[in-house]
Amino acid sequence: ITKYGSLNGVNQAWGLSLTSSSQINPPSDGDTFYSTGGYTSTYGKDFLTWYQSVLENHLGVIAAAAHTNFDSVFGVRIGAKISGLHWQYNNPSAPHSAENTAGYYNYTTLIQKFKDNNLDLTFTALEMNDDGSAPAYSKPSTLVDQVSSIANNLGVRLNGENALPTGNFQKIEEKIMAWGYNGFTLLRIANLV
């Protein structure tokens, strides 16, 4: 209601006839929300923007507490992670639905919150290749490039990690060098030795 000034404004923007603000709810069926194009409607965009804002607000609260309690003690950079949710990336009927479900709707505004809160960004899946076919519609390499490009454009420091046990260090090196990653955490080293 705040965005549109009144319930009548909400009804006009969303094409509804709500009689009470208590009727404003999240989508009741996620599959239908995507398959019918609800995610592209004004309501859908407003919902996804609001949903991400909850994550952004939480990021700000945690970042402030971390800086207050750790900056003077440890003297190291503080960061947070955006998970590489690459499934359903290019699903024709539910594009980006896995990301949206996690609260990742607009990476530019999300990564801007990292900058605003003086946080490094850790991103994962640097070792993975795109597939893009059903049923997973997985595009991890494309997602790494997308997030890395936005972080570079906004001046946010990047750190990376692998998502799965891997020996694909050439792919990892390619991403680190292409996007200027400042650090890398090798996960699941027991699988290599």
Side-chain angles (χ1 to χ4, degrees):
I1 292 184
T2 302
K3 179 177 180 178
Y4 296 108
S6 66
L7 188 58
N8 186 46
V10 170
N11 284 331
Q12 284 184 306
W14 292 354
L16 299 174
S17 300
L18 304 176
T19 57
S20 168
S21 61
S22 66
Q23 294 172 306
I24 298 173
N25 291 305
S28 60
D29 181 339
D31 290 337
T32 302
F33 181 63
Y34 282 91
S35 65
T36 63
Y39 70 99
T40 63
S41 69
T42 302
Y43 162 78
K45 292 174 184 177
D46 284 345
F47 169 73
L48 291 170
T49 299
W50 168 81
Y51 191 52
Q52 179 174 305
S53 77
V54 174
L55 180 66
E56 292 170 349
N57 291 337
H58 180 67
L59 178 72
V61 169
I62 297 300
H67 286 303
T68 298
N69 291 292
F70 299 139
D71 283 354
S72 63
V73 176
F74 296 107
V76 297
R77 297 208 43 88
I78 294 177
K81 178 179 176 179
I82 294 178
S83 298
L85 298 178
H86 49 83
W87 309 277
Q88 305 307 309
Y89 188 93
N90 66 321
N91 182 326
S93 63
H96 303 282
S97 55
E99 297 159 272
N100 295 168
T101 300
Y104 305 154
Y105 175 59
N106 181 326
Y107 286 109
T108 300
T109 58
L110 179 58
I111 296 169
Q112 180 63 48
K113 294 295 181 183
F114 277 73
K115 182 173 182 148
D116 295 346
N117 288 286
N118 192 26
L119 294 171
D120 289 1
L121 166 62
T122 297
F123 200 70
T124 189
L126 272 64
E127 84 287 4
M128 297 181 74
N129 293 304
D130 286 347
D131 178 346
S133 61
Y137 297 104
S138 176
K139 294 276 212 161
S141 186
T142 299
L143 183 58
V144 168
D145 290 344
Q146 177 187 358
V147 168
S148 300
S149 175
I150 294 167
N152 280 342
N153 288 337
L154 293 174
V156 174
R157 287 173 43 108
L158 283 166
N159 296 296
E161 61 185 43
N162 55 303
L164 303 170
T166 186
N168 192 358
F169 296 108
Q170 183 175 1
K171 181 73 170 185
I172 292 168
E173 180 184 16
E174 170 191 312
K175 295 300 184 184
I176 288 171
M177 300 307 288
W179 298 110
Y181 276 72
N182 291 283
F184 181 80
T185 301
L186 176 61
L187 301 177
R188 298 168 184 89
I189 195 165
N191 293 284
L192 300 174
V193 296

